[in-house]
Amino acid sequence: MNCLKTATLLICVVLSATANAQIEKRKLAIKRTHSPIKIDGVLDEPAWKDAPLADKFVELKPVPFRKEFPDNPTEIYFLYNNEGIYVGGYLHEKNKDSIATELAGRDGFGNNDFVGVIFDTYKDKLNGFEYFVTPLGEQWDAKSSNGGNEDFSWNAVWQSGVKLQNDGWSFEIFLPYSAIRFGKKEIQDWGLNIVRRRQKSGQQLFWQPIDPNVNGFLTQEGFLTGLEHIKPPLRLQLSPYFSTYLNHDGAAPSGVKKNTSSVNGGMDLKYGINQAFTLDMTLIPDFGQVQSDNRILNLSPFELKYSENRPFFTEGTELFNKGNLFYSRRIGVEPSYYESMPLTDHDLVTEYPSQAKILNATKISGRTQKGLGIGILNAITQRQQAKIYDTLTKGERFEENMPLTNYNVFVLDQTLKHNSSISLVNTNVWRNGNNYDANVTSALFDFNDKKNTWNIGGNVSFSNLINKDNKTITGYAHSIYMGKTSGRFNFNIWQDLFNDKYDKSDLGYFTNNNTMDQGLYMGYSWTKPRYWYNQMRINFNSWYGRLVSPIDDLRRKSMMYQNLGFNINGNAQTKKLQWLGFNISKNFAYNDFYEARTYGRVFRNKGSIGMNVWYESNSAKKYSWTGSFFAGTGGIFKRKSYEYSLSGKARFNKKFSIDYMIDVNNIHDQPGYAYRDGNSIIFSRRDVKSVENIFNIKYSFTNKMGLTLRLRHYWSKVDPRQFYELDKYGDLQTPGIATTRNVDQNYNYMSVDLAYNWQFAQGSFISLVWKDIADAFQYGGEFENKYTRNLDNTVSGPQYNSLSLKVIYFLDYLTVRNKLRSKKNA
């Protein structure tokens, strides 16, 4: 009984200690101006003298709730007219040397001071628009969703000017209404916050104070009041492009041209359907200049997931990412479906398209005054054909390997009180001809209590594969989570379930079904500086996985258990603005139903333990570095793993910087799938080594023009030491017949991306890009063991080169119309 009382008292103390303190909400009444303002960074126009002032900023980092220093006050002013919103300010410093500056490019934070304004135009505390400027005049902008997730791939067109002063720096911003979305009320109040970063001191300050122990960022916003009779102008913006490519494929087979060229043209279009909804369309897009993928050797039974680098599919896609059903690389880059082709023994496939050309893609997105978000994305990819050479008749023919395909995503997202929401998401893939179609629908909810302390949410999903093997296959999935989200102590309990027929892979990323996973997260934070640290956090995670439907086994009537484990993580920031952390993980013995690559088979492995430690120096310094080290052991062969990574950055001046990263991973005695021999599944006890090097050089001529170079080389080698046969119980046995097959693997991938970018006018760019890719995979045989020789062989081997020039010209309907009127009246 005494133990129960003690536990109850402890819980009450923790909960009371983490109760949210009420912070007074600040308000700023904006003023309309009828006077012209020149956006040059100097606040010398008479209108600024009468503008309302936002000042008395408060720290979030490193000391929450500390008032800004008297020597470094922040002064921000707001005005508006019929065309847009003006923001101006003066950020005081003792001298110019206190200002951190680096030309990092658009949306590149770099080693910079900055100031940013955040508008929650619907006051739903979930969705916001963010606009930042640096002391050197570079712009960043982002969409914020789900209370604080920032998408910096979203870009708007707006004006800014900056001026470095002897005692700080000043700025001016003009945000046309075309660069922001809002409702249609005659009198509007918006959520507002303003952020300032002083990089050298590690300070982050806000106009409306932020409590680091409270859930969400927009949930703690202040308010901008008094916007009257604002209406967005006609929003019609065109970005036609022209591009040309010179390509050389050093690995092209005999009879195929090694040198090719192409000339392309297309257009991006943005049209404001009304003040809240926008249509985005790309016609005959060209994504050939995007950064090369970080390709690696995949030894897992699952598809690798790569980052999306194509602008159309990264900008403003927060609605379409609801429910995690949409993996944009399915459109064009990594389609999930390839048709089987009728081939004979004397057929040779000489060309096999692995990607589909996008004919067009369209997005419609926005949110009504009542908080209903609507998103529609549609894309069409062209039919692709493989070229086949008949070695007997010496003739060529074409066979379809990818049909004409239409991809569609539809989203409804209704915001509710207390930054809560309910959503409906549908994805659909339609393929021409007799190929199967796919449809997935998910209903989501996320509820917070009035005090923003407790949260519960989840989703229910159904997938349908239509005309798959002449029938419709319907699958079911759900997720549920609940927990405490504000305060120093937080926790979350969750469960994810996918039945054995659920499949969202046609337009989403998906590894495996027939699984139910559940877990617990608990975390505690210290956000007030003490002793040697500014802030410190520690958390504990545990999980348990099992199958949904049993798989019969001769030893057990049904085998359901998959895995069980936990980890402990901690990190802290020191008073010198350094970071350090650790991770300890433990996995108990588990059943792996996927490594055998055969449904119904299982591999039984023993548990493992591992530990990782890491360090990050003060990133505001001229020279900075990070490092980490991992060591682990376990499994049936007592596997030993060692991994270390080091990275460093040198900033020689505000224009020129170099950074470098190396990651080395050594695994000894790892069990893994090797190959299949008839009905026998062969595993190996193998050594795996990988080395990755990334080298970046950046030189910015101005805040509108820069040159970047990125070199990456990845090497991985697989060396099987002994072979085993997987028996029907999931254990490894020495094969009855000696295995002589060579399954050594050696993979080298090198990419070079050299890019010159110049923003020669607002929203208009010239890009000159040179790309070099070497992709060398060897299976079986003798390999080089040294990294330097692998690098030398990769550099001297066949490569793919591309030199491209792309010009994008931005046209705004109103700007063009006004210029024509001015010429007419002149």
Side-chain angles (χ1 to χ4, degrees), residues 435-499:
N435 307 285
Y436 80 91
D437 305 322
N439 186 282
V440 182
T441 301
S442 182
L444 304 89
F445 68 97
D446 187 84
F447 299 146
N448 296 282
D449 71 325
K450 187 176 181 180
K451 293 185 178 180
N452 193 29
T453 302
W454 299 91
N455 170 262
I456 184 171
N459 66 73
V460 175
S461 303
F462 295 92
S463 67
N464 288 282
L465 303 181
I466 304 164
N467 197 30
K468 177 81 169 179
D469 300 326
N470 297 317
K471 60 183 178 181
T472 296
I473 302 173
T474 300
Y476 167 82
H478 75 243
S479 295
I480 186 75
Y481 54 87
M482 63 174 296
K484 181 174 179 291
T485 54
S486 289
R488 294 176 66 179
F489 171 73
N490 296 315
F491 72 90
N492 183 268
I493 303 171
W494 56 270
Q495 181 189 82
D496 296 329
L497 181 147
F498 308 98
N499 77 357

Side-chain angles (χ1 to χ4, degrees), residues 1 17 34 94 145 207 329 371 667 682 709 718 720:
M1 187 61 126
H34 300 282
K94 289 183 179 180
S145 61
W207 171 68
R329 287 176 66 104
I667 305 174
I682 306 300
L709 172 64
V718 181

